[in-house]
Amino acid sequence: MSTLLSPLQAAQDAVPYSRPTSPKLHVSQIGFVGLGNMGYLMAQNLAKHSAALANGSPPLLVWNRTVEKAERLVKAVGQDKVRIAQNLEQVVRECDVIITNLVNDAVVKDNYLKFTEALKNSPPTRTKIFVETSTIYPSLAGDLDKLISSNPHSRLIT
């Protein structure tokens, strides 16, 4: 007794090699560090429009030296769009993309040293992208690139 195969089953059986499954979309967790005059507005726009960029995107994770600015952002856009990190280590641990907008070179360098320490304590298994948007000297940008890229799966964009 012979069984009839569906055209799809027949085509699948005829393929002499295995096909990998299609990769699933990975929704990135985005973090934002520095909610000053410019950073606040950048984070606010990102939080408002991130759902349109990626369906099901998690709330923007923000950190600021003074928590009041982060709380003001949550009130402005809602808890479904922004959540507040307890510290910089949480941002590094949980986020795939970390955007920074800080006041000056000294603060930028201090934060990136903390990022590097967090990366060493909890090495990433996927790519982490640091996006530096602060106004900094080009020499500092080069130093930050060396600092971040010395960690596995970590990249810097300035």
Side-chain angles (χ1 to χ4, degrees):
M1 180 185 252
S2 72
T3 57
L4 295 174
L5 298 175
S6 71
L8 178 61
Q9 184 64 43
Q12 287 175 343
D13 289 346
V15 177
Y17 53 87
S18 64
R19 292 181 174 207
T21 59
S22 295
K24 297 200 182 337
L25 175 65
H26 168 71
V27 179
S28 297
Q29 172 68 61
I30 300 173
F32 202 98
V33 175
L35 299 174
N37 292 333
M38 189 172 11
Y40 181 90
L41 296 173
M42 292 169 67
Q44 182 180 36
N45 281 329
L46 190 58
K48 281 183 181 178
H49 303 290
S50 64
L53 298 174
N55 194 11
S57 64
L60 181 68
L61 183 62
V62 299
W63 183 87
N64 195 67
R65 186 173 39 97
T66 56
V67 73
E68 293 80 22
K69 288 184 180 182
E71 290 169 344
R72 191 175 84 202
L73 182 60
V74 171
K75 285 181 187 172
V77 297
Q79 290 182 345
D80 61 323
K81 303 224 184 258
V82 174
R83 63 189 177 100
I84 301 171
Q86 300 301 310
N87 51 46
L88 288 173
E89 292 77 19
Q90 180 184 0
V91 175
V92 172
R93 202 173 45 252
E94 294 182 19
C95 295
D96 303 299
V97 178
I98 298 130
I99 303 167
T100 56
N101 190 278
L102 302 162
V103 68
N104 60 39
D105 285 20
V107 174
V108 170
K109 187 171 184 175
D110 182 56
N111 277 276
Y112 275 85
L113 289 171
K114 291 176 183 172
F115 292 158
T116 301
E117 187 64 31
L119 289 168
K120 288 185 188 329
N121 291 338
S122 182
T125 57
R126 310 192 290 246
T127 301
K128 290 199 181 282
I129 301 171
F130 292 82
V131 181
E132 176 51 54
T133 65
S134 312
T135 303
I136 59 173
Y137 281 101
S139 58
L140 178 58
D143 293 343
L144 297 178
D145 185 38
K146 289 176 191 167
L147 191 63
I148 290 299
S149 60
S150 69
N151 297 285
H153 307 291
S154 302
R155 307 289 179 260
L156 177 73
I157 300 172
T158 59

